């Protein structure tokens, strides 16, 4: 695209701090579609022998449940959840295995709340400049990173300083100015 205007967020402060509890559950949040790749959650959960929670709805829901049953993964699928962040507990690790992304709003919201997470190693997520431990290039890398750090979710929490630098780009006033500039440019073009 010629220009990208990020989604604004109403708060730029980093949320409450979480404990460094052992990893107890893997969580997926978002649309259950090919783009978001929720089936990778099931493969990872199966290999690390952890229960999984899939917050969201979409065309891949039935297949996700079927695959979890095949692999004997304890999967909870409450469907669309109005306040999904309330379902996150100490010991949860957010898995964001997208094949490709737009803005990456789940990452932004996780940073706001200091939720530990791992994202797929794709260009759309690389632009955040997260620590190496927050990226995985495939199922094997997700699995190996989780196994290596299973005693503490702290390895997957982004520092407050880094989170605030990313979140500051989402300030509603800055985003508003970007929209104003775009509209002015469009009005003045032939």
């Amino acid at each position: 695209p010629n220009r990208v205007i990020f989604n604004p967020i109403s708060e730029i402060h980093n949320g409450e701090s979480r404990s460094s509890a052992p990893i107890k559950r893997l969580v997926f949040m978002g649309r259950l579609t090919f783009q978001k790749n929720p089936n990778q959650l099931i493969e990872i959960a199966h290999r690390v022998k952890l229960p999984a929670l899939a917050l969201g709805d979409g065309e891949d829901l039935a297949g996700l449940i079927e695959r979890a049953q095949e692999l004997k993964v304890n999967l909870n699928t409450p469907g669309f959840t109005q306040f999904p962040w309330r379902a996150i507990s100490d010991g949860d690790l957010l898995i964001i295995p997208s094949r490709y992304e737009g803005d990456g709003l789940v990452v932004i919201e996780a940073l706001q709340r200091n939720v530990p997470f791992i994202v797929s190693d794709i260009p759309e997520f690389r632009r955040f400049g997260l620590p190496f431990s927050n990226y995985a290039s495939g199922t094997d890398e997700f699995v190996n990173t989780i196994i290596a750090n299973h005693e503490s979710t702290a390895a997957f929490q982004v520092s407050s300083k880094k989170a605030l630098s990313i979140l500051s780009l989402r300030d509603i006033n800055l985003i508003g100015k970007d929209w104003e500039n775009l509209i002015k440019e469009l009005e003045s073009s032939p």
Side-chain angles (χ1 to χ4, degrees):
N2 294 337
R3 171 183 273 153
V4 174
I5 297 178
F6 296 127
N7 287 308
I9 54 173
S10 58
E11 304 170 20
I12 63 167
H13 69 295
N14 201 271
E16 72 206 51
S17 78
R18 299 225 175 246
S19 74
S20 56
I23 300 170
K24 298 175 189 165
R25 179 175 66 171
L26 303 181
V27 178
F28 175 93
M29 188 179 295
R31 290 187 324 273
L32 304 178
T33 63
F34 176 83
Q35 174 194 355
K36 302 297 183 178
N37 198 15
N39 288 310
Q40 195 169 34
L41 170 75
I42 303 305
E43 300 299 323
I44 297 165
H46 170 69
R47 291 183 48 193
V48 298
K49 298 176 179 29
L50 286 171
L53 170 64
L55 297 165
D57 201 357
E59 60 198 39
D60 289 355
L61 178 60
L64 191 70
I65 292 169
E66 183 179 318
R67 186 67 177 148
Q69 290 170 345
E70 287 171 10
L71 295 178
K72 297 181 176 34
V73 170
N74 177 1
L75 174 66
N76 183 6
T77 55
F80 172 78
T81 306
Q82 187 171 0
F83 302 105
W85 295 105
R86 292 181 185 168
I88 304 294
S89 306
D90 285 341
D92 283 347
L93 177 62
L94 184 63
I95 303 295
I96 309 171
S98 300
R99 288 182 168 94
Y100 53 94
E101 265 300 336
D103 190 25
L105 200 52
V106 171
V107 174
I108 295 299
E109 291 179 1
L111 286 169
Q112 277 183 291
R113 293 160 176 82
N114 202 22
V115 171
F117 63 86
I118 307 177
V119 299
S120 54
D121 193 353
I122 57 175
E124 297 90 341
F125 289 152
R126 273 287 170 185
R127 76 170 192 273
F128 292 124
L130 300 167
F132 179 75
S133 61
N134 291 100
Y135 292 101
S137 60
T139 303
D140 288 342
E141 201 167 317
F142 273 100
V143 168
N144 293 337
T145 303
I146 292 167
I147 290 171
N149 297 285
H150 74 278
E151 287 300 319
S152 176
T153 56
F156 305 107
Q157 290 176 320
V158 176
S159 74
S160 293
K161 181 179 178 182
K162 180 64 179 173
L164 287 172
S165 75
I166 294 168
L167 296 173
S168 68
L169 299 173
R170 303 307 179 111
D171 177 75
I172 197 160
N173 294 316
L174 291 175
I175 302 303
K177 294 276 186 223
D178 285 346
W179 279 106
E180 285 177 17
N181 291 336
L182 176 61
I183 292 167
K184 285 177 186 174
E185 287 173 25
L186 292 173
E187 287 177 338
S188 65
S189 67

